[in-house]
Amino acid sequence: MSEARRSFLGEWELPPAPQEHVQSIPAASPPAADGSKKRGRKPAHKRKRDWEASHRPHTFVGVPLELREAVRDIAEYYRRQYGMVGGVDAVARELLRYSLAQYAAGGLNIRAERGTGKTALASAPGCGMHNKTIPQRKPAQKKPKAPTATYRLPEEQVAAMRTIIQYEEHKAAPAVIHLTLGQVFTRLLSHALEAYRAELWSLYTTPLMTVQGLKGEPG
């Protein structure tokens, strides 16, 4: 099964870097001899947003609140304890990395559910022995808005999830199935969180590299 999945998915690669989008934080500069302040890191609203521009946010429908809260809790814990940067996007990325690898290896199943088929109206003669009561229509009720989750993810991961949908539909054909991107995302997220709680895999932080500037002086 895992070989068939790898063959169908092709040679897609999970993006590296749990924190590759974060700009390096410059080291603190010593005060100038004349007392003037040197230019430090630009404010957040003035910094370039190249990573954000190339990684648009993706919204997934139907993600339960407990999963979204778990992602927030993990992000807050690693930020507070280890100074992790990247927030919930970095956590969601690593959870998906784990589950996508598990799926490709055959360690995770995603089942496509059979959809409800449409029916046509027909008629037949009756016996006429009983009076039929026509049921009243139920008052229209506003459906609650489906819960959503939005994360900035690499396009490779989103493409891999869409490929999973195609693969599962192909495997379940010709049955009528219903499998959405939100369902796949929820299943992957849930699987990774279960493994994280069971300590089957772990998250860790890596230090950001700081590159010192080079300045020339007259000889």
Side-chain angles (χ1 to χ4, degrees):
M1 180 181 294
S2 60
E3 290 299 325
R5 288 181 178 181
R6 289 195 183 96
S7 176
F8 188 86
L9 292 173
E11 296 299 326
W12 53 268
E13 296 182 358
L14 298 181
Q19 301 171 17
E20 77 282 7
H21 65 288
V22 182
Q23 298 178 4
S24 297
I25 302 176
S29 301
D34 57 0
S36 61
K37 294 183 178 179
K38 290 188 177 182
R39 180 178 299 178
R41 194 185 188 198
K42 292 182 179 180
H45 67 282
K46 293 185 178 180
R47 292 199 301 272
K48 291 183 178 181
R49 296 291 183 178
D50 295 335
W51 191 90
E52 287 81 354
S54 60
H55 293 75
R56 63 186 179 89
H58 293 273
T59 299
F60 303 93
V61 180
V63 183
L65 176 62
E66 57 268 23
L67 296 184
R68 289 178 279 139
E69 290 296 327
V71 173
R72 292 193 188 100
D73 290 342
I74 292 175
E76 173 61 21
Y77 170 76
Y78 281 91
R79 183 197 66 79
R80 187 177 62 252
Q81 293 293 117
Y82 304 103
M84 187 270 290
V85 291
V88 294
D89 295 336
V91 174
R93 215 162 50 242
E94 293 307 311
L95 294 174
L96 286 178
R97 184 198 306 277
Y98 171 80
S99 288
L100 286 171
Q102 284 280 295
Y103 178 85
L108 169 62
N109 291 322
I110 297 179
R111 185 179 61 228
E113 297 180 356
R114 181 182 296 272
T116 55
K118 297 181 179 179
T119 61
L121 186 64
S123 63
C127 61
M129 297 179 62
H130 302 283
N131 293 328
K132 183 179 288 296
T133 302
I134 299 176
Q136 294 183 344
R137 291 179 292 109
K138 294 182 179 180
Q141 295 181 350
K142 189 176 181 180
K143 293 184 178 180
K145 189 176 181 180
T148 61
T150 302
Y151 302 102
R152 291 186 183 273
L153 303 173
E155 292 299 328
E156 294 90 342
Q157 288 188 335
V158 179
M161 286 187 281
R162 295 188 187 279
T163 305
I164 288 174
I165 294 177
Q166 296 175 10
Y167 174 76
E168 294 297 337
E169 288 180 348
H170 176 78
K171 188 174 65 174
V176 179
I177 63 168
H178 181 67
L179 190 62
T180 66
L181 190 62
Q183 289 172 327
V184 172
F185 177 80
T186 298
R187 183 70 182 95
L188 294 172
L189 206 66
S190 176
H191 179 75
L193 287 170
E194 290 173 2
Y196 176 78
R197 293 189 181 101
E199 296 187 352
L200 298 178
W201 73 293
S202 60
L203 291 167
Y204 62 92
T205 58
T206 57
L208 291 175
M209 297 299 294
T210 300
V211 179
Q212 299 289 345
L214 188 65
K215 181 178 179 181
E217 295 183 355

